[in-house]
Amino acid sequence: MADIRVFVVLILSVICVCVESKYMIYDTAQGVVKGKLNVHLVPHSHDDVGWLKTVDQYYVGSSNTIQAACVQNILDSTIQALLADKNRKFIYVEQAFFQRWWREQSVATQAKVKRLVSSGQLEMINGGWCMHDEAAPHYIDMIDQTTYGHKFIKEQFNVTPRVGWQIDPFGHSAVQAYLLGAEVGFDSLFFGRIDYQDRAKRKEDKNLEVIWRASKSLGSSSQIFAGAFPENYEPPPGGFYFEVNDESPVVQDDINLFDYNVKERVNDFVDAALSQANITRTNHVMWTMGTDFKYQYAESWFRNMDKFIHHVNKDGRVNALYSTPSIYTDAKHAETDTWSLKKDDYFPYASDINTYWTGYFTSRPALKGYVRMLSGYYLAARQLEVMKGRKKTGPATEYLGDALGIAQHHDAVSGTSQQHVANDYAKRLAIGYKEAEKVVAESIACMISPKPGCASSATNIQQCPLLNISNCPPTEADLSSGKKLIVVVYNSLGWKRSDVIRLPVASENLAVYDSSEKEVESQILPIINESISIRNYYTIAYTGKSPKSTPKYWLAFTADVPALGYSTYIISSTKKPASTYVKEEFYTRPRNGKDDIKIGTGNLKLIYSGSEGKLSQYVNSRSSIEASLKQSYSYYAGFDGSGQASGAYIFRPDGDHPIVSQKQNLTVLRGTIYDEVHQKINNWIYQITRVYKNKEHAEVEFTVGPIPTEDGVGKEITTKITTTIRSNKTFYSDSNGRDFIKRVRNYRADWDLEVNEPIAGNYYPINLGMYIKDEKSELSVLVDRSVGGSSIVDGQLELMLHRRLLYDDGKGVAEALDEQVCVGAECRGLAVQGKYYIRMDPLGEGAKWRRSYGQEIYSPLLLAFTEQDGNKGTNFQVSKISGMDFNYSLPDNVALLTLQDLEDGKILLRLAHLYETGEDKDLSVITNVELKKLFAKRKITKVSEMSLSANQGRAEMEKKRLVWKVEGSKNDETTSQRGGPVDPQKLVVELAPMEIRTFIVTVGN
């Protein structure tokens, strides 16, 4: 045996000596080949800006026991892999990560990366600060975060992204297609998640790729080539994952080693390519070569793709090439094919029979509310920064812009991250707010006392970020010593505004005066115990400190504020109550059924049934509306973990359960400015309904939580508003706060819907509001944050206000949606406070309120406070001012979306038409804005119209835009209305319905 072993060893030694090592050069230079099936390999990594780990943990690669992911490694290794072969390509999306990495690189590395970008090897795609969600964000936030990323890319690389890449959001909005797609200059938009029934039908019809014409008003002028992937955003089936620890078989092409598999792997490749070609039009298919946090060792991926391209092309049956979505888009456009037309949106999204991703429309409602509140604050803070003049050092609004940009991520404002990550989002927002708060304080200080060194007095300007929980230290101060409280009220809207200010105070002996020292009508209301309880607990939870005092009352008065300006009001102590004191009236069941309770002193009256203690009628004497109106609460039991559970993403109800008040008692407070109705529904739902004298809608403030789960049942809390409107299964919901889209219960326009979840499958995201109508009237409901909503029953609208669930839904977050707030060792389920607004109108008249008041909800009046010695008169040099011509307001159908100081006298300006074509008989028309009056205090020297994200000239963008052929369209198809060019002398901007126009305005001091 010993001799045989020696003989074998000698033979093997001879073989090893005889084999010559050879360096293999792979031919990866292939481009598109006409007449062949072209397989476009698109290397990418989908890097969530927070999800299971925080954005910083993902970047540096810490906490890998949660998830092994390090974005630093991805970018480091990918850049080296690209430098190794000029034919390799890679796309990158999330600029919140990339700009972190960029700042850490040497000048030499930055120069190399710039060459990669310039050559097209590295393509910045989508280009926003994050890959934003498409259900929960407001369209202004979507624009802002995209602009933030595009600005960085333009400054560093002088390129403009061409393609939208929304591969992971859980459904896709109309606003994303036409506004954040076509209007930013994208030629195409690609995404991964559409309804499983829709996907099956589109595969069968070869309609995964379409022309998406999402705006009724802008029509073909804002359509875009859009493609849904066959199977999400990962490589195709057949084993094409090549991270170091992935299980797919590598391409082993060394004949001197065991497991040589080139033939098998080429066959796998060709089979997968032909399979995809069978469901795709033209001879081009795209393979998304990557998924979440891949390319941490990029060479592993590129080595195998090099081999595939080389060997597949030698085989010759199909053509493989390194590509990007831009190259793929151009290849599709070069074909002569026409494309099917898609309208509206891709909501709701279901991935399986009982798996509707409609729960996240409401998940983490407190975070959603915080994002919305700071979004409006960010808009106002940038305006004030413009008015004061931006400083190169000191506080700035950028940190809040960064935090809000991150918060738009599809696992952030969506409410689908782990709890510690949601806390991190909130922390970043709070830090950003504190910086922006300083900007606001300095701006206000310098506007009310414009003199050298005015910014130093900003320390005397206070604001109240916890006013929503009745906490505002400056207004709770004791004024009996003779001091006065000055209230500065800033209006960020472009039109004059009158609104009610409500402030917590310690005394009832107060009076309110305007800047001319004329007394203003006011009223005093008691603060309820429920509000004080929430104030005390959440103040400690948020600040770590107990409140120093406890306010007893609400002081309310009406503020009149000029457009884009501020007014000042003075609150001072009196010897006896100067305000109207509102006493409580208690109504206890049972009562005589005829003894109804009427609320409201103006045109609007709400009538409550005396026998039931419930809302029963809505009466508007001006519009002659007199209608039945009821409101109630209920909860859906969340399906448990025995099947598909309800969770952060998924809404799967297991029964609808009415929540009946044990007593149905009412407490009514009647005042000269507004009336209130208080209803304690149960121990964890409290509701206040307000009817204002000078408004024609009802405001409902709700406090929901902690939701009890001691019974082992997760609960999803809804409110239902019921009328006798014959809505015929039809309702209308907004798209990211912009267009309204017609919804029909249990129906989809693009395929025959198989109804298996009749509630969850009819839920839609609500950012602005929703409405129903019949031949006589309309019912509208507006919201203060993104929520889920529907019309499950004719004549009824419902909103989901809060969710607390006990099971993970198995979609990746690996946590139950069980939010808790802790003070020391005590933890409670989250209580949420919010508002929604109800109005009924004659048919065709509701749009005016939805559009105008919707803007007021998004941009509430900004309040600032300072004390003043009571022995002196008002020492402000300017007590009332408008940033524009004092006698000018924007038209009622125009909103000022952005007024932002850039640099060197340049200001970013966005103006939006608020109405759709045909939405309102008076306001759905072309309108004008006079820039000379908008910038009355500055001389305009130049106006340049830009793309929506302001990274290229509008004319340049239009010139480059690809034109697509639509099936069945005619050459004489009429184009939509657009505003004309801006005359450099007249400086008047025209806006057509739903048009947003963006400008860089150069001004003098």
Side-chain angles (χ1 to χ4, degrees):
M1 282 295 293
D3 292 338
I4 293 172
R5 283 198 297 268
V6 171
F7 180 72
V8 171
V9 170
L10 287 171
I11 291 174
L12 288 175
S13 299
V14 170
I15 292 172
C16 292
V17 170
C18 292
V19 172
E20 181 183 351
S21 297
K22 184 178 180 182
Y23 174 67
M24 184 69 178
I25 298 176
Y26 296 103
D27 182 3
T28 59
Q30 187 72 302
V32 169
V33 175
K34 273 194 168 293
K36 273 192 177 181
L37 175 61
N38 291 274
V39 183
H40 295 249
L41 303 183
V42 177
H44 79 105
S45 178
H46 174 58
D47 298 343
D48 290 303
V49 184
W51 180 37
L52 308 183
K53 303 198 296 189
T54 69
V55 59
D56 286 349
Q57 288 171 342
Y58 272 134
Y59 179 69
V60 301
S62 60
S63 301
N64 281 335
T65 54
I66 300 175
Q67 185 181 10
C70 176
V71 174
Q72 265 182 321
N73 288 351
I74 293 168
L75 292 171
D76 283 343
S77 69
T78 297
I79 295 303
Q80 293 306 312
L82 293 177
L83 291 169
D85 183 346
K86 66 179 182 180
N87 298 312
R88 292 173 172 176
K89 291 179 169 57
F90 191 78
I91 62 172
Y92 201 73
V93 173
E94 296 85 3
Q95 298 308 305
F97 282 135
F98 193 86
Q99 56 84 26
R100 279 170 164 80
W101 180 85
W102 181 254
R103 292 197 308 263
E104 298 171 353
Q105 304 310 304
S106 67
V107 173
T109 299
Q110 288 185 348
K112 292 176 183 177
V113 174
K114 285 183 177 180
R115 287 195 294 272
L116 292 174
V117 173
S118 178
S119 70
Q121 274 191 268
L122 175 61
E123 182 173 346
M124 297 298 173
I125 195 167
N126 224 28
W129 218 235
C130 69
M131 185 183 294
H132 55 226
D133 185 48
E134 297 184 40
H138 194 276
Y139 75 95
I140 295 178
D141 288 328
M142 297 165 81
I143 295 170
D144 282 343
Q145 81 88 18
T146 303
T147 301
Y148 208 45
H150 283 193
K151 181 174 183 287
F152 169 79
I153 294 170
K154 185 70 173 179
E155 288 175 347
Q156 299 302 327
F157 304 107
N158 194 32
V159 297
T160 56
R162 282 189 58 202
V163 175
W165 191 254
Q166 290 288 113
I167 60 175
D168 197 26
F170 327 117
H172 305 284
S173 73
V175 157
Q176 175 63 41
Y178 84 85
L179 200 59
L180 279 303
E183 293 295 299
V184 298
F186 291 166
D187 284 317
S188 57
L189 168 65
F190 297 97
F191 42 88
R193 299 183 187 271
I194 64 173
D195 188 280
Y196 74 102
Q197 295 181 39
D198 191 12
R199 192 191 304 271
K201 180 75 162 57
R202 292 184 181 281
K203 284 182 175 182
E204 182 181 333
D205 298 340
K206 289 192 174 185
N207 273 339
L208 287 169
E209 295 171 330
V210 295
I211 303 303
W212 192 355
R213 189 178 296 168
S215 170
K216 298 187 293 289
S217 301
L218 299 179
S220 59
S221 71
S222 64
Q223 67 190 21
I224 192 168
F225 180 79
F229 300 138
E231 306 290 341
N232 216 322
Y233 55 87
E234 302 184 355
F240 300 99
Y241 294 79
F242 298 112
E243 204 70 19
V244 169
N245 58 348
D246 282 335
E247 296 180 358
S248 297
V250 300
V251 181
Q252 205 297 82
D253 60 350
D254 188 338
I255 60 173
N256 300 306
L257 302 179
F258 292 161
D259 302 323
Y260 180 84
N261 65 356
V262 169
K263 183 178 180 180
E264 291 85 349
R265 292 269 59 199
V266 167
N267 286 338
D268 292 339
F269 189 102
V270 172
D271 288 346
L274 293 175
S275 176
Q276 189 167 335
N278 287 333
I279 56 172
T280 309
R281 297 190 188 191
T282 79
N283 284 331
H284 298 275
V285 297
M286 184 199 300
W287 283 13
T288 49
M289 297 301 291
T291 184
D292 295 7
F293 297 101
K294 298 302 183 182
Y295 292 77
Q296 298 192 64
Y297 176 53
E299 189 61 32
S300 177
W301 282 87
F302 282 111
R303 182 189 302 122
N304 281 280
M305 285 187 287
D306 288 350
K307 294 179 179 182
F308 269 122
I309 291 170
H310 179 86
H311 293 296
V312 165
N313 291 342
K314 282 184 68 177
D315 173 83
R317 284 176 286 173
V318 301
N319 180 57
L321 66 151
Y322 277 123
S323 189
T324 67
S326 295
I327 295 171
Y328 179 77
T329 299
D330 288 338
K332 287 284 185 176
H333 184 259
E335 302 290 339
T336 58
D337 288 53
T338 58
W339 303 91
S340 295
L341 187 66
K342 162 70 181 173
K343 296 184 178 181
D344 298 334
D345 61 10
Y346 287 91
F347 281 118
Y349 161 58
S351 56
D352 210 336
I353 188 169
N354 299 124
T355 313
Y356 275 91
W357 298 54
T358 54
Y360 81 97
F361 299 161
T362 298
S363 294
R364 302 196 187 280
L367 178 62
K368 284 177 163 68
Y370 194 37
V371 169
R372 183 61 54 83
M373 181 189 82
L374 291 184
S375 175
Y377 188 85
Y378 179 52
L379 182 148
R382 285 178 291 166
Q383 293 177 356
L384 289 166
E385 196 172 35
V386 168
M387 294 180 193
K388 172 184 167 291
R390 183 177 175 181
K391 297 191 303 183
K392 291 186 177 180
T393 59
T397 57
E398 275 82 358
Y399 199 104
L400 181 54
D402 173 274
L404 278 167
I406 289 171
Q408 306 313 314
H409 169 59
H410 59 270
D411 284 308
V413 69
S414 60
T416 55
S417 70
Q418 288 198 350
Q419 183 64 58
H420 76 105
V421 181
N423 296 342
D424 184 74
Y425 292 133
K427 181 179 179 179
R428 291 173 185 279
L429 290 166
I431 294 170
Y433 168 80
K434 294 302 289 185
E435 280 294 299
E437 186 182 49
K438 296 173 188 174
V439 174
V440 168
E442 287 189 3
S443 300
I444 288 175
C446 288
M447 285 195 298
I448 60 180
S449 297
K451 57 188 178 183
C454 57
S456 62
S457 62
T459 54
N460 300 323
I461 304 290
Q462 299 182 67
Q463 296 167 64
C464 294
L466 298 182
L467 185 57
N468 67 312
I469 57 168
S470 317
N471 186 331
C472 186
T475 69
E476 298 165 25
D478 184 2
L479 301 178
S480 60
S481 62
K483 288 189 174 183
K484 298 177 181 177
L485 179 69
I486 310 300
V487 185
V488 182
V489 185
Y490 178 72
N491 173 25
S492 60
L493 296 181
W495 54 71
K496 297 173 186 177
R497 182 171 174 184
S498 179
D499 209 348
V500 174
I501 307 297
R502 301 173 63 251
L503 303 172
V505 295
S507 169
E508 61 184 302
N509 296 337
L510 297 171
V512 182
Y513 304 88
D514 64 17
S515 56
S516 64
E517 300 189 1
K518 179 183 177 182
E519 186 172 351
V520 175
E521 183 182 41
S522 59
Q523 69 183 45
I524 289 280
L525 302 90
I527 293 183
I528 58 173
N529 292 334
E530 284 79 3
S531 294
I532 296 300
S533 175
I534 284 183
R535 162 196 162 92
N536 292 342
Y537 189 83
Y538 281 85
T539 297
I540 299 172
Y542 293 156
T543 69
K545 301 175 183 177
S546 297
K548 292 181 179 179
S549 61
T550 301
K552 297 179 181 179
Y553 310 100
W554 285 106
L555 171 66
F557 63 94
T558 300
D560 295 310
V561 197
L564 205 66
Y566 71 86
S567 298
T568 54
Y569 291 85
I570 302 103
I571 300 173
S572 61
S573 180
T574 58
K575 292 184 179 180
K576 60 180 181 179
S579 304
T580 302
Y581 185 82
V582 178
K583 294 184 179 180
E584 298 170 291
E585 301 174 11
F586 299 97
Y587 296 90
T588 305
R589 288 182 64 213
R591 293 170 55 85
N592 187 318
K594 296 181 181 179
D595 193 10
D596 287 339
I597 304 159
K598 187 177 293 186
I599 308 299
T601 58
N603 291 330
L604 174 62
K605 303 286 191 301
L606 295 185
I607 298 173
Y608 288 76
S609 164
S611 59
E612 295 183 337
K614 296 179 180 179
L615 178 63
S616 62
Q617 274 190 297
Y618 181 105
V619 178
N620 186 323
S621 57
R622 181 196 60 79
S623 63
S624 301
I625 288 281
E626 187 170 339
S628 170
L629 182 69
K630 298 179 180 179
Q631 185 256 343
S632 61
Y633 287 92
S634 63
Y635 73 85
Y636 293 110
F639 206 89
D640 63 21
S642 61
Q644 174 59 64
S646 254
Y649 300 94
I650 307 302
F651 174 33
R652 190 184 179 196
D654 188 14
D656 186 7
H657 305 270
I659 298 173
V660 181
S661 173
Q662 290 86 353
K663 295 182 179 179
Q664 299 288 2
N665 295 340
L666 300 180
T667 302
V668 177
L669 294 89
R670 302 182 190 274
T672 55
I673 298 174
Y674 65 88
D675 293 351
E676 284 187 348
V677 177
H678 290 242
Q679 294 170 278
K680 186 171 183 177
I681 309 301
N682 58 24
N683 290 332
W684 48 277
I685 300 179
Y686 195 94
Q687 174 175 293
I688 303 172
T689 303
R690 299 187 181 96
V691 179
Y692 295 88
K693 179 180 179 180
N694 295 320
K695 297 184 185 297
E696 296 184 8
H697 65 263
E699 173 185 292
V700 181
E701 180 181 293
F702 59 87
T703 303
V704 176
I707 299 172
T709 56
E710 293 81 3
D711 56 0
V713 177
K715 299 175 181 66
E716 316 193 45
I717 313 305
T718 64
T719 185
K720 298 177 180 178
I721 300 98
T722 305
T723 68
T724 57
I725 289 175
R726 295 187 294 273
S727 53
N728 192 27
K729 297 185 178 181
T730 303
F731 59 106
Y732 301 81
S733 67
D734 71 274
S735 178
N736 301 110
R738 192 78 180 131
D739 308 64
F740 277 93
I741 297 179
K742 181 180 179 179
R743 313 295 190 184
V744 179
R745 194 162 59 248
N746 295 331
Y747 172 80
R748 303 291 187 268
D750 295 333
W751 79 95
D752 294 329
L753 177 67
E754 179 184 319
V755 179
N756 44 62
E757 287 287 344
I759 297 173
N762 286 297
Y763 253 66
Y764 291 87
I766 312 297
N767 271 277
L768 169 60
M770 57 194 308
Y771 68 95
I772 53 175
K773 64 182 182 179
D774 60 16
E775 67 279 2
K776 293 182 179 179
S777 59
E778 305 176 17
L779 167 70
S780 305
V781 177
L782 302 183
V783 296
D784 68 345
R785 70 198 69 193
S786 58
V787 298
S790 187
S791 176
I792 302 299
V793 176
D794 279 358
Q796 184 183 87
L797 293 175
E798 75 172 61
L799 300 172
M800 185 180 289
L801 305 178
H802 195 2
R803 317 175 74 217
R804 188 180 184 188
L805 299 161
L806 304 180
Y807 298 91
D808 174 47
D809 56 20
K811 299 305 170 189
V813 75
E815 278 185 357
L817 184 67
D818 185 10
E819 294 184 273
Q820 299 185 31
V821 177
C822 299
V823 173
E826 180 189 2
C827 293
R828 301 178 183 175
L830 174 71
V832 171
Q833 188 177 83
K835 294 177 183 177
Y836 62 90
Y837 309 84
I838 305 171
R839 176 162 163 151
M840 297 188 73
D841 286 285
L843 179 65
E845 296 184 15
K848 286 187 178 70
W849 178 72
R850 289 191 293 268
R851 294 300 184 180
S852 60
Y853 200 71
Q855 288 300 117
E856 294 189 22
I857 296 169
Y858 178 82
S859 292
L861 293 171
L862 189 155
L863 306 179
F865 309 91
T866 186
E867 281 191 354
Q868 187 173 283
D869 191 327
N871 297 323
K872 300 179 181 178
T874 304
N875 59 6
F876 297 157
Q877 294 179 36
V878 183
S879 56
K880 193 169 189 175
I881 195 171
S882 174
M884 58 178 74
D885 185 312
F886 203 83
N887 296 313
Y888 181 68
S889 287
L890 293 184
D892 291 342
N893 48 8
V894 174
L896 176 62
L897 300 191
T898 310
L899 189 68
Q900 181 176 348
D901 201 326
L902 298 176
E903 56 189 16
D904 301 327
K906 291 183 173 64
I907 292 173
L908 178 62
L909 171 70
R910 278 194 195 90
L911 298 165
H913 198 300
L914 290 173
Y915 288 78
E916 298 177 67
T917 298
E919 186 176 6
D920 184 86
K921 60 184 175 60
D922 301 315
L923 296 171
S924 293
V925 295
I926 285 188
T927 189
N928 298 322
V929 174
E930 299 180 53
L931 295 186
K932 289 180 180 179
K933 292 183 178 180
L934 182 58
F935 291 93
K937 296 174 174 60
R938 298 190 183 185
K939 180 177 175 59
I940 298 173
T941 59
K942 185 180 179 181
V943 176
S944 302
E945 184 163 12
M946 309 298 289
S947 65
L948 184 69
S949 61
N951 65 346
Q952 57 187 317
R954 176 84 193 190
E956 175 191 2
M957 181 195 82
E958 294 285 1
K959 189 176 180 180
K960 294 188 299 183
R961 174 175 286 168
L962 299 181
V963 178
W964 299 86
K965 300 173 184 176
V966 178
E967 286 180 352
S969 65
K970 299 178 181 178
N971 294 330
D972 60 351
E973 181 183 353
T974 57
T975 56
S976 61
Q977 279 188 315
R978 294 274 186 170
V982 177
D983 185 298
Q985 301 302 318
K986 296 179 180 179
L987 295 178
V988 174
V989 175
E990 286 185 341
L991 289 158
M994 275 291 109
E995 188 175 22
I996 297 178
R997 298 183 72 175
T998 303
F999 302 91
I1000 291 180
V1001 181
T1002 306
V1003 296
N1005 291 327

